[in-house]
Amino acid sequence: MGYEKRIKMSREERAKQFLPFSAVRGLEEALEMKRQELFVDVPHVLLSDAEEEINDTLKSTVKGDVIEVEYFDGVKNTLVKGSVDYIKEKECVISVEGKTIKFEIIGKVKMINKIGDD
């Protein structure tokens, strides 16, 4: 049991010892993709004041008004801004820039430019 001379490692070889180790390649990327697939926003929960404000804004909205609408699309909260194509109170829907939105999924409405307010 004598002393054995060790071969000196290069700096690059020594540095490799301290690199992060992953037993399964691609696991972190696969987990992140799965997290994104499963990610779901929570729909708006409206207070009665906010609901009244949305209703008042929608009642005063006409075709051509420019508005900003935030709504829950089933997966995430989405924001659309643009000109109102139509509003149908009986069906409880509004169309903004070609996107038809049910009143019940609207979280916020902001009037940007009212027709006749120019």
Side-chain angles (χ1 to χ4, degrees):
M1 297 219 178
Y3 175 75
E4 295 177 19
K5 189 171 182 176
R6 295 185 190 163
I7 300 173
K8 192 171 184 177
M9 264 191 220
S10 70
R11 292 187 126 202
E12 291 80 21
E13 289 296 317
R14 286 188 52 103
K16 285 181 185 177
Q17 294 178 353
F18 301 103
L19 289 175
F21 175 72
S22 177
V24 181
R25 287 191 177 190
L27 178 62
E28 281 303 315
E29 292 82 8
L31 288 173
E32 183 58 33
M33 286 176 52
K34 194 64 172 175
R35 280 186 207 106
Q36 290 176 359
E37 286 175 21
L38 296 175
F39 176 74
V40 176
D41 274 352
V42 177
H44 295 285
V45 177
L46 298 177
L47 301 173
S48 60
D49 292 346
E51 193 172 344
E52 284 181 38
E53 186 177 324
I54 291 169
N55 287 337
D56 291 346
T57 304
L58 290 174
K59 285 180 184 177
S60 67
T61 302
V62 295
K63 181 179 178 178
D65 287 347
V66 178
I67 64 172
E68 187 175 86
V69 180
E70 186 175 322
Y71 64 95
F72 184 72
D73 69 5
V75 176
K76 64 186 182 319
N77 292 324
T78 304
L79 185 70
V80 64
K81 178 180 175 181
S83 180
V84 174
D85 303 317
Y86 62 82
I87 185 163
K88 297 179 180 177
E89 288 185 43
K90 288 184 180 181
E91 289 87 2
C92 297
V93 295
I94 187 169
S95 177
V96 179
E97 295 296 316
K99 177 67 184 168
T100 302
I101 306 164
K102 294 180 183 179
F103 290 175
E104 64 194 38
I105 63 172
I106 294 175
K108 295 179 186 173
V109 178
K110 181 179 176 185
M111 183 66 66
I112 305 296
N113 186 18
K114 179 91 175 126
I115 295 290
D117 284 354
D118 296 330

